[in-house]
Amino acid sequence: MSAPNKLIAGNWKMNGLQASLAEVAGIAKGAQELPSSVKLAVCPPFTLIDRVAQALDGTSVGLGGQDCHTAQSGAHTGETSAEMLKDLGAEYVIVGHSERRTDHGESNEVVAAKAEAAIRAGLTPIICVGETLAERESEQTLDVVNTQLAGSVPQSLENKGFVVAYEPVWAIGTGLTPTTDQVKEVHQAMRKHLEERFGEQGASTHLLYGGSVKPGNAAELMAVANVDGALVGGASLKAVDFLGIAQASA
Ligand code: PGA
């Protein structure tokens, strides 16, 4: 895996219609101006994956899904397998986003199985962790993140490419962000955890920060030690904002 220095992934969540393909074209165009040290990826809703794949074909921008099922195929109405994403040209899949953990009751075990499904299909899982406000206020942040990493990142990922995203639940879509010291503390702890379990692989695993990343705060967040990129929600929907974040990260 040739790893870029910074990975900036856009999580469109349940947003985007066919008209949004114009933004994808804008992202692909703008990506040409970025240094090769910055890699972009777009994770559209399932309905747009095929169209976005076509729009990104031959560009440097990667494609990702927002979730996948643990099984390869079968009687799972409404679900999408990692193999189906791969078939459309995806490179990444987000697993364990806090909205899935909350809305769909996904446990660490389920998230770990999804990460394994991603690897099975030849995708790079972006595994999300992060504390709630109550957990932060009761000083449990590092315990929560370590427990999520222990449970959601299976040891079978050794020597396989994976990415971890730290997304404090209270910072997602709220406009609130942790201080750079708070981000530093968590990313340092995640690095230590992964190094202890995966050695050199853990030292080079991409650790993304996510939660209200905007063009205006990206430079300071991306400059924090052990922050290797961003998982961007709202600000990834507009090419100008997403590219602004990418430029600030370079
Ligand atoms: P946000 O979402 O950038 O809109 O806060 C981030 C995420 O949930 O991945």
Side-chain angles (χ1 to χ4, degrees):
M1 201 182 54
S2 64
N5 296 339
K6 290 277 193 284
L7 171 64
I8 312 294
N11 172 12
W12 281 21
K13 310 191 181 186
M14 197 172 73
N15 296 294
L17 300 171
Q18 295 187 60
S20 319
L21 292 164
E23 299 300 328
V24 178
I27 290 169
K29 189 157 181 282
Q32 294 172 0
E33 316 293 320
L34 293 171
S36 59
S37 57
V38 181
K39 158 114 179 165
L40 299 184
V42 177
C43 304
F46 290 130
T47 49
L48 287 180
I49 287 197
D50 197 16
R51 297 285 299 277
V52 173
Q54 290 170 36
L56 295 179
D57 191 30
T59 75
S60 62
V61 183
L63 172 69
Q66 298 175 12
D67 178 47
C68 65
H69 196 270
T70 56
Q72 197 164 347
S73 62
H76 302 289
T77 303
E79 296 288 341
T80 302
S81 72
E83 281 76 6
M84 290 168 173
L85 295 170
K86 177 73 178 177
D87 185 47
L88 292 181
E91 201 178 327
Y92 302 96
V93 62
I94 299 168
V95 295
H97 189 281
S98 72
E99 286 151 18
R100 299 237 25 124
R101 289 179 187 262
T102 305
D103 296 356
H104 301 270
E106 290 189 7
S107 62
N108 285 322
E109 291 70 27
V110 167
V111 176
K114 290 186 172 194
E116 286 181 326
I119 296 292
R120 181 190 66 217
L123 299 176
T124 299
I126 300 175
I127 305 166
C128 303
V129 298
E131 83 286 1
T132 63
L133 188 58
E135 288 163 344
R136 173 154 292 276
E137 285 175 343
S138 57
E139 295 180 5
Q140 289 175 278
T141 298
L142 296 185
D143 285 346
V144 167
V145 168
N146 273 312
T147 302
Q148 286 180 333
L149 285 178
S152 303
V153 182
Q155 202 58 35
S156 60
L157 266 52
E158 197 154 7
N159 298 322
K160 315 277 193 227
F162 69 92
V163 172
V164 171
Y166 167 56
E167 299 204 304
V169 177
W170 53 273
I172 295 175
T174 58
L176 302 173
T177 49
T179 65
T180 50
D181 279 347
Q182 288 171 328
V183 174
K184 187 175 165 195
E185 183 187 36
V186 176
H187 278 245
Q188 198 166 35
M190 296 199 300
R191 181 70 71 207
K192 183 164 173 279
H193 176 113
L194 293 172
E195 276 178 350
E196 279 169 12
R197 287 179 53 204
F198 296 96
E200 249 178 56
Q201 181 192 1
S204 60
T205 297
H206 270 67
L207 304 181
L208 312 185
Y209 166 77
S212 297
V213 179
K214 306 271 182 285
N217 62 20
E220 71 167 359
L221 288 165
M222 294 302 108
V224 174
N226 291 306
V227 173
D228 309 304
L231 184 55
V232 185
S236 70
L237 294 166
K238 290 273 167 244
V240 60
D241 292 337
F242 194 49
L243 291 166
I245 290 169
Q247 277 148 8
S249 311

